[in-house]
Amino acid sequence: MTTRTAVRPELRLAVLVVAIVMLGFHLGSLAVFWTGVSAVTLAVAIPLSLIRALGITAGYHRLLAHRSFGTSRALRFLLSLAGVLAIQGGPLWWVAHHRAHHRDTDREGDVHSPVTRGLWHAHVGWMLEPEAFREQGSYARDVARAPELRWLQRNYVLLILAQAAVLYALGAGLNAAWPALGTSGAQMLVVGLFLTTVLTWHVTFAVNSVCHRWGGRLWETDDASRNHFLVGLLALGEGWHNNHHRFPNSARHGLFWWQPDATWWVLRGLERLGLVWDLKTPPTARLEARAAGG
């Protein structure tokens, strides 16, 4: 007889909150047909979306989860803050889950594998189950040692609400001062927060779902990770997932000229400015051998 593990009430509540938020953001995105889109709103929304995406790819993923480069405490905080504003979980939670994914990739312990649980579950369904919120703090102890990152985790919800308030106030202020610009508080909120967040969500989620189901494999790994050009392009380099699983501590995911990796380009630019250092990459000999078909 199988014994089912009781689900704690707070985990059920977390699932309910996430479901409501995700549904609300998707429905809120549809309000774009009511608010419209202005050039001013796009001028805010597009850079903000890219900054938040880099918070996930460069901040949460390559810096915090894999420690693939070094940087100052201040820039680490700013990258992590950008990750918080992307609304994909606090830094401690995100890092713990990602490291658990690498430990159990495409096996039973991997909560978002399309191999073991199906495509829908890998893409988004895993976040609607209590297992996604079980404590895994032991996988993020190094991150938890930084008080400013603990602060981001504790104030995750407040920071997101503040982001929404600032965007609405910006749009409303612009509308009051220069109505000819054609923007508004509602438009800035819908386009600058709801729509861009939903688009970024699904691009990020595709790394879990699409990149473990479709694409090419340059490297033999003990999982189903694959390289997918479109996801690599849209996810700022994260779609070169087979490369990443072969060299998880590399700051560069697009390892060859035909694999665009915008996050790597940004990191190289920051390196030239002296803002990041010790960018880890795979051995050159390995890459040359693979490029030559070895």
Side-chain angles (χ1 to χ4, degrees):
M1 182 176 179
T2 302
T3 302
R4 297 184 63 181
T5 303
V7 177
R8 300 197 307 271
E10 60 269 27
L11 297 184
R12 293 186 186 277
L13 178 61
V15 170
L16 178 62
V17 170
V18 168
I20 291 172
V21 169
M22 294 190 74
L23 178 61
F25 268 66
H26 281 79
L27 293 176
S29 298
L30 297 178
V32 69
F33 295 108
W34 169 61
T35 64
V37 181
S38 69
V40 172
T41 298
L42 288 178
V44 172
I46 293 174
L48 178 61
S49 180
L50 290 172
I51 290 169
R52 295 190 301 163
L54 283 168
I56 298 296
T57 63
Y60 276 17
H61 191 198
R62 304 190 197 192
L63 176 60
L64 297 185
H66 292 288
R67 294 180 287 187
S68 62
F69 62 93
T71 189
S72 66
R73 191 169 176 178
L75 185 55
R76 182 182 67 181
F77 174 79
L78 292 175
L79 286 171
S80 301
L81 174 59
V84 166
L85 298 181
I87 317 180
Q88 296 187 24
L92 275 64
W93 178 88
W94 201 100
V95 168
H97 272 278
H98 187 73
R99 289 175 176 174
H101 163 68
H102 275 269
R103 180 199 65 188
D104 297 315
T105 309
D106 293 324
R107 297 190 294 272
E108 194 57 38
D110 187 353
V111 297
H112 48 65
S113 169
V115 175
T116 61
R117 306 292 293 276
L119 192 65
W120 167 254
H121 188 274
H123 192 74
V124 70
W126 70 277
M127 287 178 288
L128 304 177
E129 292 188 357
E131 186 62 31
F133 303 97
R134 294 191 190 279
E135 178 59 47
Q136 299 192 60
S138 60
Y139 294 118
R141 286 175 178 164
D142 57 323
V143 179
R145 282 196 288 268
E148 65 273 20
L149 300 184
R150 295 199 306 271
W151 183 86
L152 288 175
Q153 183 71 43
R154 283 196 312 271
N155 294 284
Y156 174 70
V157 174
L158 289 177
L159 289 166
I160 292 169
L161 293 175
Q163 176 181 216
V166 168
L167 284 169
Y168 185 89
L170 175 61
L174 290 172
N175 184 52
W178 299 285
L181 293 176
T183 189
S184 67
Q187 184 186 98
M188 195 68 73
L189 186 64
V190 167
V191 178
L193 185 63
F194 294 159
L195 183 58
T196 57
T197 297
V198 167
L199 292 175
T200 304
W201 277 348
H202 287 290
V203 169
T204 304
F205 300 165
V207 178
N208 292 335
S209 55
V210 173
C211 292
H212 282 263
R213 182 64 65 87
W214 295 289
R217 286 174 57 84
L218 282 175
W219 313 93
E220 287 299 322
T221 59
D222 59 358
D223 53 57
S225 61
R226 295 176 179 276
N227 292 328
H228 194 283
F229 182 86
L230 182 59
V231 180
L233 195 63
L234 296 176
L236 309 185
E238 299 293 282
W240 306 114
H241 206 50
N242 178 241
N243 293 351
H244 172 56
H245 273 269
R246 179 60 186 85
F247 303 103
N249 296 323
S250 174
R252 183 179 183 181
H253 292 190
L255 300 178
F256 304 98
W257 66 265
W258 63 87
Q259 297 177 334
D261 184 352
T263 301
W264 169 250
W265 301 336
V266 170
L267 291 175
R268 286 283 287 167
L270 292 174
E271 182 185 41
R272 291 189 178 96
L273 294 173
L275 296 175
V276 305
W277 49 84
D278 295 335
L279 291 168
K280 298 177 183 176
T281 56
T284 302
R286 298 293 301 276
L287 302 184
E288 291 176 346
R290 175 55 63 187

